[in-house]
Amino acid sequence: MSIQFTIAQYVATHVAAVDKELELAIPKQWDIPIALREAMQYSLMAGGKRLRPIFVIAAAEALGGMIDAAMPIACAVEMIHTYSLIHDDLPAMDNDDYRRGKPTNHKVFGEAMAILAGDALLTQAFYCAAQVFRNPAISAEQALAIIEELAIFSGAKGMVGGQAADSLGEQGITHLEEMNYIHRHKTGDLIVFSLKSGGRVAGASEEQLNALEQFGYQIGLAFQIQDDILDIIGDEQKLGKPIKSDEKQHKVTYPYLLGLEASQDKIKQLTLEAKEAIVAANFPYPDRLLQLADYLVNRDS
C-alpha cells in the first residue's frame, strides 16, 4: 500500500468522524428557527476537505494525544471556516453562485438568512471550543489559551483582517508582500490555529508550538498558491466550482505575478520548509503531518 493511499485513507476516516460530530454539534433540542437551522446545516454539512479539523487531529496525534480531546476544537474550526465561506460568497463579497458543487447559501436561503447562518456558526464555534473544559486531561490554562487563540486567529488580527485586506486590495495588488499578508491571514491563520490547538490538547512544548506555527504558515501559503493554480488549470467537476473565477473578477494571484512554473516551484519550497520545521522539533509521531503536507499540495481539487 502506497503512502499516498495510506494518507488518503487516514483523511477519509477522520473526515467521516468529523462529519459525525458536526451532525450533533448544533443540539437538536435547542429551540432554533427552522430556516436558520437548515441554513446552518446546509453549508456545514455540504462536504469539503475538512482540512482544518484534520490538522487539529493530526497535530494532537503527532504528540500522542487523543482524538476525543481534539474533536471539539476540530468542530469549532470547521464552523469558523464554514461561516467565512458563506459570507465570502455573498453578493457584497465574491458574489459566487456555487460552493462545493452546490448553490451557495444565499442562493438557497436568501441573503439575510445566509448572513445570520454565518453569524450563528461563528458563535456556535466558541460554544464547541469551550467543551474542551469538560475533558479532565486538559487544564484550565490550556483551554483558555485555545479559546483566546481562536478569537485572535479568526478575528480582526487574523482571518477577518486578511479578508478585509483582500477586499481593500482587489485589483490594486502589485507586490508579493501585499499578497503574502492577505494569504497569511485569510488562509494561514486558521490553519495555524488548528495545528497549535491540536498541539495544546496534547501538551506540546513551546518549541513544538512554534514548529506547528511555522509549518502552518508555510503549508497555508502553499495551499493557497495551489488553489490559485487550480483556478487556472483545474477540473471544474473535481473542484465543484467554475475555474478562472479569479481572472473573471480581475484578482491578482501568485500565478499572475510570478507565472505558473515559478508558482509551482514556490509550492515545493514552502512544503520542504514546512516539513523541516516539524522534523527539527522532535515530535514523537510526525509522519501524518509530513504526509499531509505532500498530500495537500499535490491535490487536484
Side-chain angles (χ1 to χ4, degrees):
M1 185 182 297
S2 68
I3 288 177
Q4 184 72 7
F5 184 62
T6 300
I7 192 62
Q9 281 192 321
Y10 174 86
V11 170
T13 297
H14 288 310
V15 165
V18 169
D19 283 347
K20 185 176 179 181
E21 291 297 322
L22 286 172
E23 287 276 11
L24 306 173
I26 306 169
K28 296 188 185 303
Q29 68 270 26
W30 286 11
D31 186 11
I32 299 172
I34 292 173
L36 177 59
R37 184 186 288 274
E38 288 179 349
M40 293 168 72
Q41 290 289 132
Y42 176 81
S43 292
L44 189 60
M45 303 311 300
K49 290 177 279 293
R50 307 300 195 205
L51 166 63
R52 293 149 192 84
I54 295 297
F55 273 140
V56 177
I57 293 167
E61 289 184 332
L63 289 152
M66 302 298 293
I67 294 176
D68 287 350
M71 194 58 78
I73 307 301
C75 290
V77 75
E78 188 63 17
M79 288 183 174
I80 296 281
H81 177 56
T82 301
Y83 115 76
S84 75
L85 298 182
I86 293 174
H87 284 189
D88 266 354
D89 291 337
L90 288 166
M93 299 283 281
D94 289 345
N95 195 25
D96 283 325
D97 294 336
Y98 289 93
R99 170 72 64 178
R100 294 167 177 167
K102 301 172 68 174
T104 46
N105 198 291
H106 67 275
K107 287 293 181 181
V108 178
F109 298 96
E111 289 181 40
M113 195 55 65
I115 292 168
L116 292 169
D119 294 344
L121 286 169
L122 168 60
T123 47
Q124 188 69 13
F126 283 88
Y127 171 83
C128 286
Q131 303 312 302
V132 296
F133 283 101
R134 301 186 185 279
N135 190 318
I138 300 173
S139 70
E141 289 77 12
Q142 286 173 308
L144 181 58
I146 290 168
I147 300 296
E148 182 179 51
E149 287 197 332
L150 180 58
I152 292 170
F153 282 115
S154 64
K157 187 177 181 294
M159 181 190 71
V160 174
Q163 291 172 314
D166 190 19
S167 180
L168 292 167
E170 278 183 3
Q171 303 169 30
I173 297 172
T174 57
H175 301 290
L176 280 177
E177 290 79 8
E178 296 172 275
M179 188 168 298
N180 285 340
Y181 177 91
I182 291 169
H183 291 335
R184 178 180 178 87
H185 296 293
K186 186 175 180 179
T187 303
D189 276 345
L190 215 55
I191 291 174
V192 168
F193 166 77
S194 302
L195 290 156
K196 291 184 73 175
S197 63
R200 287 191 188 280
V201 300
S205 67
E206 282 303 314
E207 179 191 9
Q208 289 164 338
L209 289 172
N210 289 337
L212 289 168
E213 182 169 323
Q214 184 178 348
F215 177 85
Y217 279 129
Q218 303 297 78
I219 286 300
L221 182 52
F223 182 87
Q224 183 59 55
I225 297 172
Q226 179 71 354
D227 262 6
D228 291 346
I229 291 172
L230 289 174
D231 189 67
I232 299 171
I233 61 172
D235 184 324
E236 290 189 0
Q237 292 297 113
K238 291 180 179 179
L239 292 170
K241 60 182 180 180
I243 63 170
K244 303 197 176 182
S245 61
D246 291 336
E247 180 183 325
K248 290 170 186 173
Q249 295 179 37
H250 307 290
K251 282 192 174 183
V252 180
T253 64
Y254 256 85
Y256 177 87
L257 287 178
L258 295 183
L260 199 58
E261 186 175 343
S263 295
Q264 291 167 332
D265 289 342
K266 183 67 173 177
I267 289 175
K268 293 175 184 176
Q269 175 198 339
L270 290 165
T271 304
L272 178 61
E273 291 170 356
K275 291 163 71 173
E276 286 175 344
I278 295 299
V279 170
N282 297 313
F283 287 82
Y285 311 102
D287 288 355
R288 290 305 185 192
L289 285 175
L290 299 177
Q291 293 168 8
L292 276 170
D294 291 325
Y295 175 80
L296 290 168
V297 298
N298 289 319
R299 74 194 194 283
D300 58 6
S301 65

